[in-house]
Amino acid sequence: MQPTKERNLSSVLFSYSSENILIDCGEGTQRQMKIAGLKPTRINRILITHWHGDHVLGLGGLIRYLGANEYNNTLYIYGPKGIKDYVKNILNSCVFTDNVKIELIEIKEGLIFENKDFYIESFRLNHTEVCYGFNFIEKDKRRINVKYLAKFGLKTHPLIGELQKGKDIVWQNKKIKSRDATIIAKGKKISFIIDTGFDENIIKSVKEANLIICEATYSDELKEKAMKYKHLTAKQASEIAKKAKAKRLILTHFSQRYPDVKELEKESKKLFKNTTCAKDFMKIIL
Ligand SMILES: [Zn+2]
Ligand SMILES: [Zn+2]
């Protein structure tokens, strides 16, 4: 909720081909991006989990930067109820001389974005304000089985595209079935759980995720506090990951009372081994 010398406030950048999607935009995000060598002008969407200041106070600075740096895209901002007022207030908080084309989308539970590669769905969390988690779900892909096609002497040919679409073909009088000549590569799933109290419903939403990025504000000693302020303890985060049969867990959003988050990592690892605590500028390739 407060930046420390070691850690900035919450913001995660998700990149997939031409899509650069920022999840939350805590104060100082544009500077963090510069240190990380990322161009803020490449962002095309921003997802807001909820309207608490620690998650959105970087928006004004970022939008101002985009305006001053010839941002020619439309910036799509998705967020819970109240989005129009909150963003309007941010834009009225100082003199913005350069206009940025912004489109605001109020989200509810369900599908919020889809392209040919992946889709994003939101699910309700249990926080003191209306708050959403997000799933980024990659679509399954049909890949060509090169070895199988080599048996037919088929290397590069437009017909291979047909196989990839799932259609059977005839090649030199022989029928080749798409089912045999292609392999289905299962799409990956990344889940974001930022700001919530423990809730069994979350487990269903993040089921079998390849990666869960999850808040762990407190250690389990402060379970009562976590319950009161609707946040998670490291142990609860690991319980979600374990029950959801996720593959990997990254903890984030730590209370400033933990200058060293090793104890949170240790607590989570007891139940879910593949846990890491996030640090600023951490990069993960899935
Ligand atoms: Zn927060
Ligand atoms: Zn919050």
Side-chain angles (χ1 to χ4, degrees), residues 30 34 39-41 60-71:
Q30 58 161 321
K34 283 184 191 171
K39 282 203 178 95
T41 45
L62 186 74
I63 294 168
R64 198 209 148 271
Y65 173 90
L66 297 180
N69 285 278
E70 291 163 7
Y71 182 75

Side-chain angles (χ1 to χ4, degrees), residues 22 25 28-35 37-43 46 57-73 75 90-91 94-102:
L22 201 65
C25 187
T29 295
Q30 58 161 321
R31 183 158 190 268
Q32 293 288 96
M33 289 191 76
K34 283 184 191 171
I35 297 170
L38 299 163
K39 282 203 178 95
T41 45
R42 295 187 60 194
I43 295 170
I46 301 178
L57 282 171
L59 269 179
L62 186 74
I63 294 168
R64 198 209 148 271
Y65 173 90
L66 297 180
N69 285 278
E70 291 163 7
Y71 182 75
N72 297 317
N73 296 332
L75 179 66
I90 287 168
L91 294 175
C94 65
V95 182
F96 281 86
T97 42
D98 306 282
N99 274 329
V100 174
K101 237 167 73 192
I102 298 176

Side-chain angles (χ1 to χ4, degrees), residues 110-264:
L111 183 74
I112 57 171
F113 172 75
E114 182 172 18
N115 69 11
K116 68 175 188 13
D117 297 314
F118 67 92
Y119 58 95
I120 305 172
E121 53 181 31
S122 55
F123 53 93
R124 192 64 194 270
L125 296 172
N126 185 3
H127 196 37
T128 51
E129 288 298 311
V130 177
C131 186
Y132 289 96
F134 300 110
N135 283 325
F136 285 64
I137 301 170
E138 187 183 29
K139 294 179 181 174
D140 294 346
K141 280 201 177 97
R142 198 184 282 274
R143 297 225 161 91
I144 294 295
N145 185 341
V146 182
K147 264 194 194 155
Y148 184 81
L149 288 188
K151 285 192 219 164
F152 297 87
L154 182 55
K155 270 188 191 160
T156 46
H157 195 278
L159 277 174
I160 292 178
E162 296 299 304
L163 287 169
Q164 202 149 22
K165 282 182 206 151
K167 291 180 188 152
D168 299 341
I169 60 162
V170 176
W171 167 254
Q172 294 177 339
N173 295 323
K174 280 183 201 122
K175 189 166 181 181
I176 303 178
K177 285 185 182 165
S178 175
R179 203 182 55 204
D180 302 327
T182 58
I183 302 155
I184 302 285
K186 181 104 183 74
K188 290 171 184 142
K189 175 175 176 181
I190 305 178
S191 301
F192 291 87
I193 306 167
I194 308 283
D195 282 21
T196 186
F198 186 81
D199 192 321
E200 290 280 340
N201 287 326
I202 299 169
I203 298 161
K204 266 187 273 159
S205 301
V206 303
K207 222 157 192 65
E208 284 163 13
N210 295 73
L211 170 68
I212 299 178
I213 297 174
C214 187
E215 76 126 298
T217 307
Y218 302 110
S219 88
D220 215 52
E221 279 164 25
L222 297 177
K223 195 162 65 188
E224 305 299 318
K225 225 184 182 95
M227 210 138 74
K228 184 173 169 203
Y229 296 109
K230 300 228 167 145
H231 280 295
L232 291 173
T233 69
K235 189 181 168 194
Q236 289 171 329
S238 66
E239 208 177 313
I240 291 172
K242 193 184 166 97
K243 286 190 177 163
K245 297 192 170 71
K247 291 203 170 69
R248 189 170 176 193
L249 173 66
I250 308 264
L251 303 179
T252 186
H253 196 281
F254 312 111
S255 157
Q256 60 273 14
R257 79 189 66 225
Y258 304 106
D260 183 2
V261 292
K262 274 272 168 296
E263 66 170 287
L264 299 177

